[in-house]
Amino acid sequence: MQKNRIKRIIHRSHYRGFKEADLILGGFAKAHACELTKDELGQFETLMDEKDHDIYDWISGAQNVPTRHNTAFFAKLKNYKPKI
């Protein structure tokens, strides 16, 4: 069951429709999804319900991260550097 969830997260994170979000979220998912806890996977899924431009702005620091997403998981994501 967990394996299918991870596959869905990786796929969903790669096909966002905003290239920058695809690179960051998709790259992070591919590199780290198997290492995430169930709670972190849930936080990732919840984050992906947000608009791509908002996520990008939170990661880049253009906007403050909302309290609901200001977690240790988001800090991991924010520290991820995609290979371009």
Side-chain angles (χ1 to χ4, degrees):
M1 183 79 165
Q2 188 80 353
K3 194 174 187 178
N4 289 335
R5 183 181 189 191
I6 290 170
K7 284 182 182 181
R8 280 192 307 272
I9 288 171
I10 291 170
H11 183 269
R12 184 176 174 200
S13 64
H14 271 287
Y15 298 99
R16 303 289 302 172
F18 178 54
K19 194 62 174 173
E20 290 83 349
D22 294 349
L23 291 170
I24 295 168
L25 297 176
F28 178 85
K30 190 173 181 181
H32 299 290
C34 292
E35 305 163 3
L36 299 176
T37 66
K38 286 183 182 182
D39 186 49
E40 290 172 325
L41 290 171
Q43 291 175 47
F44 199 4
E45 290 169 322
T46 300
L47 178 67
M48 287 192 293
D49 289 338
E50 301 286 352
K51 294 177 183 171
D52 291 342
H53 291 281
D54 289 340
I55 296 169
Y56 183 78
D57 286 347
W58 300 332
I59 290 171
S60 68
Q63 290 183 33
N64 291 330
V65 180
T67 304
R68 68 186 178 279
H69 293 301
N70 198 2
T71 63
F73 163 74
F74 192 84
K76 285 182 191 180
L77 176 62
K78 190 172 181 175
N79 288 325
Y80 173 74
K81 304 297 182 221
K83 294 176 175 76
I84 301 174

